[in-house]
Amino acid sequence: MKLDPDTLDGWSTQLDWGEQLLWSARMESDRVRAIENQSRPQLEITELLQTRAHEIGALAFALTGSTARAQRTKISDLDYHVIGPRPPHSDLPDDVDVYATDEVGMWRKLNQGDDFIQWTLRYGCVLFDTGVFQAAMQRMSNAGLWPTSDQKFSRLDGHIRLARRLIAMGDRDAAQDQVRATLTSLARALLLQARVFPRARFELPLQLHEIGAGELGSTLLETICEEPELNALGRALDLAASLVPEKPADSPLRSAG
């Protein structure tokens, strides 16, 4: 059975993911995508981490983030999502980022509207699974789960304050990193609120234009691709602050459809 995810919207949440043949076809497709989307050094890191995760009893392992969508930029990490113990990776490059949670934590976060877990299920490359990712995908599909944007909105004031302090200190590089993170978080919150699932960071500017937030999209793209001066970073924060709703209206769990 050949199966491919939609180029833009990832794996459909309208399918019966409890069907083993469908899930097996998805995993086979994910393995192919993971090979196609990684360089040889990246593949070696992925294979090593997957082996380590197996050895310490992880329940599931996925390549996630921009690499899974072939949307890497010069600032991209190599991101992984593990259900179970975190495999050791201190001997690997600094851009390797491993997010790990136990199965109980995964279910709690999924049901509370965490968007990172849904991102892995929709867009990630599942490379091994004892059934926990499959069950989560089925739950997401059957219940029409949709992530909440409330937490992202609530944290933005703190992100903005930190970025302003870095700008005041004159640390341009650190300020750009924080401003970019702030704009990314705001972008994801606005998209989720508009019932548009955020894709990889480099894809967010276009998604923002599509929901009428083009100025934020262009500003975010500048922080990804260029090196804005401190005054430009300050203006980016002013824009971000103006777009944070006082009381964001959000339906945290169920989808609009």
Side-chain angles (χ1 to χ4, degrees):
M1 179 178 182
K2 181 175 175 55
L3 193 66
D4 295 302
D6 182 272
T7 303
L8 291 180
D9 292 328
W11 292 108
S12 171
T13 59
Q14 307 303 313
L15 300 176
D16 180 9
W17 291 105
E19 186 176 330
Q20 192 56 45
L21 184 62
L22 178 64
W23 184 251
S24 296
R26 182 244 165 100
M27 288 190 61
E28 178 59 29
S29 177
D30 282 359
R31 293 186 188 102
V32 172
R33 284 195 299 128
I35 292 171
E36 292 175 344
N37 293 352
Q38 295 181 89
S39 65
R40 171 49 56 183
Q42 291 165 353
L43 279 169
E44 291 174 353
I45 291 171
T46 298
E47 291 168 2
L48 177 60
L49 277 173
Q50 183 175 339
T51 297
R52 291 177 178 179
H54 261 302
E55 291 174 347
I56 60 177
L59 300 177
F61 180 91
L63 174 71
T64 191
S66 59
T67 307
R69 286 190 57 77
Q71 293 290 334
R72 288 183 63 84
T73 68
K74 64 181 180 180
I75 61 171
S76 295
D77 290 332
L78 195 55
D79 298 299
Y80 302 93
H81 191 166
V82 179
I83 307 301
R86 188 191 311 273
H89 61 283
S90 60
D91 57 328
L92 300 177
D94 290 342
D95 63 351
V96 171
D97 189 7
V98 182
Y99 175 87
T101 184
D102 62 19
E103 185 176 5
V104 172
M106 186 215 70
W107 283 111
R108 182 179 66 252
K109 288 177 178 294
L110 180 66
N111 289 317
Q112 288 176 346
D114 180 86
D115 66 313
F116 181 75
I117 292 174
Q118 281 211 28
W119 204 103
T120 296
L121 296 173
R122 289 170 180 265
Y123 298 129
C125 299
V126 177
L127 300 181
F128 85 76
D129 179 42
T130 60
V132 61
F133 274 155
Q134 180 184 9
M137 189 76 182
Q138 186 178 17
R139 161 73 177 156
M140 187 173 72
S141 178
N142 291 348
L145 296 185
W146 187 260
T148 177
S149 61
D150 289 351
Q151 288 188 351
K152 291 185 181 301
F153 279 126
S154 67
R155 294 170 181 164
L156 280 168
D157 283 346
H159 293 326
I160 292 171
R161 287 195 298 272
L162 175 56
R164 290 199 190 281
R165 287 200 297 271
L166 292 170
I167 290 173
M169 293 167 56
D171 190 338
R172 201 213 64 82
D173 290 346
Q176 179 170 351
D177 288 346
Q178 183 60 32
V179 170
R180 182 171 55 236
T182 300
L183 297 183
T184 299
S185 186
L186 174 59
R188 295 186 183 281
L190 291 172
L191 287 165
L192 288 172
Q193 191 177 60
R195 291 299 188 271
V196 176
F197 204 95
R199 299 192 284 266
R201 176 155 45 193
F202 193 57
E203 299 173 280
L204 296 179
L206 178 58
Q207 288 188 288
L208 289 168
H209 278 274
E210 291 172 345
I211 66 166
E215 185 178 4
L216 177 61
S218 298
T219 304
L220 173 58
L221 187 62
E222 184 179 3
T223 69
I224 295 172
C225 299
E226 302 177 23
E227 296 183 354
E229 297 298 325
L230 289 170
N231 57 355
L233 294 173
R235 290 194 296 272
L237 289 178
D238 292 339
L239 173 63
S242 72
L243 293 174
V244 179
E246 291 185 8
K247 293 182 179 180
D250 194 21
S251 178
L253 296 182
R254 299 201 63 86
S255 71

